[in-house]
Amino acid sequence: AVVSTQSGHYGRGNRVTATSISIATARMKSHLLLVVLALIVVSDAEDQLLTLHQNHFGDIQTCDVKYVKPGDDYDIRCESDHAILTRIYKPTDNIPGDEELLQVSESLNNLKAERTTTIKDYENATKGEDDGYYTCVVHHDSDHVPAYSTARCKVVIVDLCADSNCEEKQICEPDYDTGTVECTCNYVCPPTFKLICSNTCELFPHECAMDAKICEDGRKREIQSEGVCPSTVKPKIREIDMDIEANLNDPIILSSGLVEDGTPMANVQWVFYPADGIPKYLDADKTFSFDLNQDTIGTYRITLMHCMDEEKAIHNEYRVGLILDPTTAPATTMEATTATTPGVDDLTATTHYTCTAFPGGVIDDFNARGHFYDLSCTHILAADLMPGGSFYNPWFIYGTFDNHDDKTALMSMTFYIGRDIFEVQRGWLVHTGRGAKLSLEEGIPQAVGSSGCSVKFSHLHIHVDCPHFEAYYDGIMSGHIKLKIVAEESILQKGRGNIGLCFDNNSGYRPNWQIGRTRGRCQIDTEEPPCETETPPNCFLSQPPVAFKEHTTCGVGAEGACSELHCNGNSPTSVQRCALAQANRVNCNLKLGLDVLGSDDDCEDEPCVWKKKIVSRGCPQENLPFVCP
């Protein structure tokens, strides 16, 4: 179509096509659309600003938690953008009730609210007096709803370094803003030299440098002498491993094995392990003499080290006993068999002290006594600070717990053997000390560093085999520790170096033997009681001990765990039922010296179904410890 003007002389120059009109119309519509969108964006921004202003209007800004070192001065700050009057109350102050606070706000209506910051100073923080919740009360004007606002700040009076886990010689650097500490080796040593020689035959410019070295590598050192170290001469030592039998009251003289001393002198340590008592150090050097009687029967171990070199130490041992009177012959095989508990067949003569962490927060200790604990984060299960009487190869087993299927469960077991560290985690995952994952094949043990331990996956457990103990982890919520000493006594007597929940809960200032940095993550209630509802009939799992040995009692811990899983009428999950049945069977088998191989009614008939279910609940791993279709 063509549109022309009435005046013909404009000719073709005044023709306007429909296409040009369409383009113009489209441009106008686009412009209008952009204007509308811009208005919407502006409107949204204004709404957001208004909402932000309304949410913040009259808010009180104060600390959530404030950590203060005992004896320090501190302050509490309260800020508000809409305040007429601000007051700060200590935990021991009486805060007015709601009606009284409303009356105060009404009496201030003729005043104008402003943005204010109120700071109240306090001196000489005292634990038990100044700690607790401090309350800020801010009164607003008549336009504000509510008429007043409150906020609380918790003040914790604590010496962060007093309860730190810093090792000896580490420097504790507290951060009272976050309530955390950092253990460092940031020694600032003097520039002047005062040479010292350590008992490890190392030369240091001063004691500060020696302490810094101890902090870095963890090796114990003491000052042997001042000045340059003398030339070392190795001592001559004879290795001894001997059984001695003598008559009552016979004199006994034991030699340490030190034939000729060296430079510096060798360190000689004697430890006596009585047949029925607690190990003790002996004040002896090259020889030790005594008369043989019931109090001196036992094992004598001597550790000899030159330059405190633990790796090259010589360990000598004497096993001293009485010559048996031939008139008191041992019981016949028939008599020994008759003495065992009737109805128990095929039991080996060797029983073992075994501790189990059951689901639900129940520990069955080495003496088969069940205990319920509030377990959160990481706890010491068992440790020996001086195995064999020596402080140089301690071992620790930590258990880390979490809430799994709504109940307390063992998430991982961490092993510290001398200087080696490794951990088994949920899903049958094994981590070494440097964070690397250990690739396992079912039934094939693998050595872990220089710890003397091996790890393998078999019978649906990670099996850890170490010089002093064996451990088993089911990969989901239960674990077992079996000591390698022969359980000759009915009750295990705790040694000087033994700590952890598997022995007892005498944990000093550590509630339930909890360790690590727990502030803000783990809260322990040492008074939390076990489930108080009636125990279901299917939870009566206790069995009498074998041969009157109390530590062989089975089912006590399992019974407590079953009660926790059924507490308040709850029903355990299928995984919890299987894990509990499995843990109860393995606990009994280990106590009686039997294999952990077996099946359980509450578990999957097909092992691969259970295996896949367990690994699905742990961290992803490329190489599974089993082969399943």
Side-chain angles (χ1 to χ4, degrees):
V2 177
V3 179
S4 301
T5 62
Q6 294 180 353
S7 179
H9 84 264
Y10 288 104
R12 298 176 59 89
N14 276 328
R15 292 182 179 179
V16 181
T17 65
T19 302
S20 63
I21 292 175
S22 300
I23 293 172
T25 302
R27 287 175 176 172
M28 182 177 296
K29 289 180 178 179
S30 297
H31 178 71
L32 289 173
L33 180 60
L34 290 173
V35 171
V36 171
L37 288 173
L39 290 173
I40 292 173
V41 170
V42 171
S43 177
D44 285 346
E46 289 177 346
D47 288 344
Q48 291 174 7
L49 281 172
L50 180 60
T51 301
L52 180 64
H53 177 70
Q54 289 173 342
N55 290 340
H56 187 67
F57 186 68
D59 281 354
I60 303 175
Q61 298 177 26
T62 187
C63 53
D64 292 325
V65 180
K66 190 180 189 74
Y67 297 93
V68 183
K69 185 176 180 180
D72 281 1
D73 299 338
Y74 62 102
D75 61 59
I76 301 295
R77 301 170 62 92
C78 293
E79 298 182 23
S80 175
D81 57 2
H82 196 85
I84 296 177
L85 176 66
T86 300
R87 287 178 177 169
I88 300 174
Y89 296 89
K90 288 186 64 175
T92 54
D93 294 339
N94 292 322
I95 303 175
D98 183 67
E99 184 176 346
E100 185 177 346
L101 291 174
L102 286 173
Q103 290 176 355
V104 173
S105 294
E106 290 174 359
S107 68
L108 301 172
N109 278 341
N110 59 335
L111 300 176
K112 181 181 179 181
E114 297 178 344
R115 181 175 184 83
T116 62
T117 298
T118 302
I119 303 174
K120 194 164 184 178
D121 296 318
Y122 299 92
E123 297 179 350
N124 190 23
T126 304
K127 187 175 179 63
E129 296 181 9
D130 298 321
D131 40 5
Y133 285 96
Y134 288 64
T135 304
C136 294
V137 179
V138 175
H139 295 274
H140 310 295
D141 61 20
S142 57
D143 295 333
H144 191 276
V145 178
Y148 69 90
S149 302
T150 64
R152 297 202 306 171
C153 171
K154 183 178 181 181
V155 172
V156 180
I157 311 297
V158 60
D159 186 345
L160 294 175
C161 286
D163 193 23
S164 72
N165 292 314
C166 295
E167 301 292 339
E168 184 182 4
K169 300 300 183 181
Q170 284 186 325
I171 298 173
C172 175
E173 297 184 359
D175 184 348
Y176 280 89
D177 291 333
T178 61
T180 60
V181 300
E182 183 178 1
C183 302
T184 71
C185 296
N186 298 329
Y187 277 79
V188 180
C189 293
T192 55
F193 283 8
K194 187 179 180 181
L195 298 178
I196 60 170
C197 181
S198 70
N199 59 350
T200 56
C201 302
E202 296 172 282
L203 180 65
F204 292 97
H206 34 56
E207 186 175 358
C208 178
M210 184 182 72
D211 290 343
K213 187 65 175 178
I214 296 172
C215 181
E216 291 171 4
D217 63 17
R219 186 182 180 189
K220 295 182 180 295
R221 296 172 175 83
E222 296 177 359
I223 297 176
Q224 182 77 27
S225 60
E226 295 184 356
V228 179
C229 294
S231 299
T232 60
V233 177
K234 291 184 178 181
K236 295 180 181 180
I237 301 173
R238 178 168 58 93
E239 296 188 14
I240 301 170
D241 185 11
M242 184 181 299
D243 291 301
I244 297 177
E245 289 186 348
N247 293 311
L248 192 64
N249 297 322
D250 279 357
I252 304 292
I253 300 176
L254 304 180
S255 169
S256 66
L258 183 62
V259 178
E260 184 178 329
D261 213 338
T263 304
M265 293 187 297
N267 177 271
V268 182
Q269 182 186 85
W270 290 72
V271 181
F272 171 50
Y273 297 82
D276 56 355
I278 298 175
K280 60 181 179 181
Y281 288 99
L282 300 177
D283 185 13
D285 190 16
K286 289 187 177 182
T287 60
F288 181 70
S289 59
F290 56 91
D291 291 336
L292 187 60
N293 55 50
Q294 293 294 336
D295 294 330
T296 57
I297 295 173
T299 300
Y300 294 79
R301 292 179 182 169
I302 309 100
T303 301
L304 301 98
M305 288 185 290
H306 186 234
C307 293
M308 302 305 290
D309 190 341
E310 180 185 350
E311 294 182 356
K312 297 180 180 179
I314 301 297
H315 303 280
N316 290 334
E317 182 173 304
Y318 296 93
R319 295 167 294 278
V320 180
L322 284 170
I323 296 175
L324 292 177
D325 187 343
T327 61
T328 57
T332 64
T333 304
M334 180 66 73
E335 291 170 340
T337 304
T338 305
T340 60
T341 302
V344 180
D345 300 324
D346 302 325
L347 296 179
T348 62
T350 302
T351 59
H352 294 275
Y353 300 115
T354 301
C355 174
T356 295
F358 283 98
V362 175
I363 301 292
D364 189 300
D365 66 22
F366 286 126
N367 287 317
R369 297 164 182 166
H371 309 272
F372 169 79
Y373 296 115
D374 180 16
L375 302 175
S376 297
C377 287
T378 303
H379 303 255
I380 301 177
L381 296 179
D384 193 344
L385 306 179
M386 44 181 292
S390 172
F391 287 100
Y392 296 103
N393 273 308
W395 58 264
F396 298 82
I397 304 175
Y398 295 168
T400 299
F401 295 81
D402 66 356
N403 190 290
H404 196 75
D405 281 358
D406 201 34
K407 292 292 182 181
T408 300
L410 182 62
M411 181 176 67
S412 66
M413 298 177 74
T414 308
F415 302 86
Y416 294 79
I417 315 296
R419 298 180 183 178
D420 288 276
I421 305 172
F422 60 97
E423 182 175 84
V424 297
Q425 299 178 349
R426 180 170 292 142
W428 297 315
L429 195 65
V430 181
H431 277 278
T432 62
R434 297 183 179 274
K437 296 178 181 178
L438 197 64
S439 181
L440 297 178
E441 295 183 39
E442 191 163 6
I444 301 176
Q446 288 200 34
V448 182
S450 59
S451 64
C453 300
S454 66
V455 177
K456 72 176 178 180
F457 175 72
S458 63
H459 306 320
L460 303 179
H461 285 77
I462 293 290
H463 177 204
V464 177
D465 190 355
C466 293
H468 300 284
F469 62 85
E470 293 180 56
Y472 297 80
Y473 179 54
D474 70 350
I476 186 71
M477 58 182 64
S478 297
H480 314 266
I481 303 168
K482 182 183 79 173
L483 299 181
K484 283 192 172 180
I485 59 175
V486 177
E488 296 179 346
E489 301 297 327
S490 178
I491 297 295
L492 173 64
Q493 301 296 328
K494 178 182 175 182
R496 288 177 56 193
N498 296 138
I499 61 173
L501 294 176
C502 286
F503 293 98
D504 56 37
N505 195 24
N506 298 333
S507 53
Y509 64 90
R510 298 184 183 277
N512 295 350
W513 277 117
Q514 188 183 44
I515 62 168
R517 298 181 181 180
T518 60
R519 291 185 179 88
R521 297 190 301 142
C522 313
Q523 298 295 326
I524 290 297
D525 181 4
T526 56
E527 303 300 325
E528 181 176 346
C531 181
E532 297 177 350
T533 55
E534 186 175 353
T535 302
N538 61 325
C539 288
F540 295 132
L541 303 172
S542 298
Q543 300 176 21
V546 174
F548 306 104
K549 292 184 177 181
E550 186 173 336
H551 69 273
T552 63
T553 304
C554 289
V556 176
E559 188 170 301
C562 186
S563 296
E564 292 299 325
L565 297 181
H566 285 87
C567 193
N568 297 323
N570 291 329
S571 296
T573 65
S574 60
V575 172
Q576 288 173 335
R577 288 196 301 272
C578 177
L580 176 60
Q582 193 179 73
N584 188 32
R585 173 178 54 80
V586 172
N587 172 268
C588 289
N589 286 4
L590 292 175
K591 288 177 178 178
L592 302 177
L594 302 177
D595 199 336
V596 300
L597 179 64
S599 60
D600 304 284
D601 293 338
D602 289 321
C603 296
E604 302 283 352
D605 293 331
E606 175 53 52
C608 276
V609 175
W610 179 254
K611 290 176 180 178
K612 291 178 181 179
K613 185 177 294 185
I614 296 305
V615 297
S616 70
R617 299 194 175 204
C619 293
Q621 49 183 317
E622 295 180 2
N623 302 311
L624 298 177
F626 56 83
V627 177
C628 281

